[in-house]
Each structure stands twice: as structure tokens, then as C-alpha cells.
Amino acid sequence: MKIIEVKNYQEMSQRAAEYMIEKIKSTPNLTLGLATGGTPLGVYQHLIEDHKQNGTSYAEVTSFNLDEYIGLAKDNPNSYYSYMYENLFKHINISPERTHIPSGMNKDLQAECEEYENKIEQHLGIDLQILGIGSNGHIGFNEPGTSFQAKTHVVDLAQSTREANARFFNSLDEVPTQAITMGIQTIFKSKEILLLVSGKAKQNAMIQLLTGDVTESFPASILKQHPNATIIADEEAMLGVKDNSLFK
Ligand code: PGA
């Protein structure tokens, strides 16, 4: 696992976006794995700016998002469908039929999970997966304790995850209790992974990730076994690691 330390959120976003843009230019039919949450917003802003200024084309790009809340319709402003549309898709020339986000409204959630996993396989997997990390080490919505073998599945969200995400909702009560997420196996099969980490809230997660064991109780730890995973972390996120005796 390669670690690139950058100064702050802006630099993290810029570095990640530049890397993605280069990949898209060299492989126009790239299959991207996309994430939501606060972390990738700056990356998406850079991609939009670059698309407007330099015309980088997404016409042949396919995307798969990591996850979606169960029970939120596409037009709910807090659905990840809305997030992706508002924060990226409507600003670039990606074809809607090439963008994939699991549906949390399917009455048969099991079938939805299987279909999503199959679609990823039909596209021969994800070329470049963008990830954030939860303060509890989750990737996608794979909460601590999730099997490393898991494929796309339904999860009960950890209370800490619901509390962290309540900032996007009117109240904690409105945060869904379940989601569909790509599994850890699904994520791990990506050819390349870019994990973005910024800010104080992620300091403990970084300590655990970089100094702890590979264990299902800290899902992101599996990334240490991935052949092509890179972390771009800012100074604030890395502060605890630097203070940690193992790194002295
Ligand atoms: P955040 O979430 O980007 O909003 O911090 C990351 C995550 O929960 O995976």
C-alpha cells in the first residue's frame, strides 16, 4: 500500500482528480468505482472544472457506486443517486445508462444485490475504485465484522455511521438504518484502489489502518493486502500516525 501525504483537503482532492483524469485520458472506456460522502466532493469539483476547461470526455466511461441507502427513492435529496447526479453526473458528459448505483427501493433486495454484483463482473470488474474511510474503518458501508469474502449485500448501518451521516439529514431519525453496499470482496477485486483520507476525524482510523493487523473488525485493513492500493492522506489525518510510537 503506497501512501502519499499531502498538505490538506484541497491538495488531496487535486492529486486524486489529476490521477483520475490521466487514467481516463489513457483509457477512455475506464470502469470507475465511485464513492459518496464528504471526502470525494472536492475531487468531483476538480473533475467538473477540468471537463469544462479541457474537455476531458466521460462518454465511454462506466461507473459503479459503492453503496446506496435502503428506502430512499432516487429523487430523495439524501439518496446517493441524487448526490452523484448533483455533484458530478449532471456536470459531465457521462451517459446515464453507463452509471450504476444499487437501488435501495427494490422490493427484492437480494436480487438487487446479485444483479449489481453480476453487472460489475460483466464489465470485467472495476479498473479504479475511489474510497473514503469511516472513522470505524468501514469501506463502502462494510461495517466492522463484515466478512472479507462478502459480495454486494444488505447491511445494518453502525450507529456511529448513522451519527456521522446525520449531518446531511434534518435529524438522526431520518438517517436510514440499512444500505446496500458492494462487499469487501467486490471492492478488493478492483484493479486499482485510491483511498482518500482527510481531517482530524480520521486520525484514529489512520493509526489503526497503518499500525494494526489485517482484521475483519477493521474492514479497511484488507487494503494492505491489495496489490495496487494507494492512500492519499492529508497532514491532519496523518498527525496521530506521526505521534504513534510505532512510527518514530
Ligand atoms: P466521509 O465518509 O467522506 O463523509 O467522511 C467516508 C465514509 O464513511 O466512508
Side-chain angles (χ1 to χ4, degrees):
M1 202 167 53
K2 192 169 136 195
I3 304 173
I4 300 174
E5 190 180 335
V6 294
K7 196 154 187 48
N8 52 29
Y9 181 79
Q10 284 72 20
E11 202 180 325
M12 177 198 77
S13 304
Q14 190 173 342
R15 287 286 284 270
E18 281 167 1
Y19 189 75
M20 290 170 78
I21 291 162
E22 281 316 305
K23 280 269 163 188
I24 291 160
K25 282 184 177 160
S26 61
T27 311
N29 64 347
L30 198 73
T31 300
L32 274 176
L34 297 175
T36 51
T39 306
L41 282 174
V43 177
Y44 297 152
Q45 277 162 15
H46 279 285
L47 297 184
I48 293 165
E49 246 167 67
D50 163 75
H51 172 70
K52 290 195 173 134
Q53 282 176 12
N54 308 316
T56 303
S57 178
Y58 294 78
E60 293 177 53
V61 168
T62 294
S63 71
F64 285 93
N65 264 77
L66 284 167
D67 42 25
E68 177 61 285
Y69 289 116
I70 288 174
L72 297 193
K74 282 181 174 179
D75 61 359
N76 185 308
N78 279 311
S79 71
Y80 286 158
Y81 182 93
S82 290
Y83 172 107
M84 289 310 302
Y85 180 73
E86 293 298 330
N87 292 306
L88 182 64
F89 295 157
K90 78 172 181 187
H91 305 284
I92 60 173
N93 67 332
I94 196 162
S95 357
E97 58 277 14
R98 288 185 198 262
T99 65
H100 304 90
I101 302 176
S103 168
M105 294 298 282
N106 192 330
K107 289 215 164 61
D108 188 344
L109 291 168
Q110 193 46 41
E112 178 69 25
C113 292
E114 282 166 24
E115 203 186 304
Y116 201 68
E117 190 76 25
N118 290 339
K119 263 192 238 160
I120 295 172
E121 275 174 27
Q122 281 156 19
H123 279 83
L124 306 177
I126 287 161
D127 295 317
L128 175 61
Q129 175 69 56
I130 307 304
L131 288 181
I133 186 171
S135 49
N136 63 0
H138 76 200
I139 47 175
F141 272 139
N142 292 285
E143 302 288 20
T146 307
S147 164
F148 284 156
Q149 300 311 317
K151 295 185 175 184
T152 301
H153 64 295
V154 172
V155 291
D156 292 330
L157 296 175
Q159 186 62 9
S160 62
T161 298
R162 294 185 65 240
E163 283 165 8
N165 290 2
R167 68 192 195 275
F168 299 112
F169 292 78
N170 291 322
S171 69
L172 179 60
D173 288 349
E174 283 184 20
V175 184
T177 54
Q178 288 190 309
I180 291 185
T181 184
M182 277 186 204
I184 298 195
Q185 191 188 135
T186 325
I187 294 170
F188 193 80
K189 280 200 283 193
S190 305
K191 295 174 192 82
E192 185 169 5
I193 293 176
L194 204 51
L195 173 67
L196 308 178
V197 194
S198 169
K200 238 194 194 141
K202 304 293 167 68
Q203 280 177 1
N204 286 338
M206 285 305 284
I207 294 172
Q208 177 80 16
L209 176 62
L210 298 179
T211 67
D213 295 334
V214 174
T215 161
E216 288 177 350
S217 59
F218 195 80
S221 62
I222 190 74
L223 300 177
K224 295 206 258 200
Q225 293 182 347
H226 193 278
N228 195 1
T230 302
I231 306 177
I232 306 182
D234 71 8
E235 279 177 8
E236 242 183 20
M238 290 293 281
L239 217 55
V241 176
K242 297 246 165 88
D243 290 346
N244 192 293
S245 56
L246 283 170
F247 274 71
K248 277 181 183 152

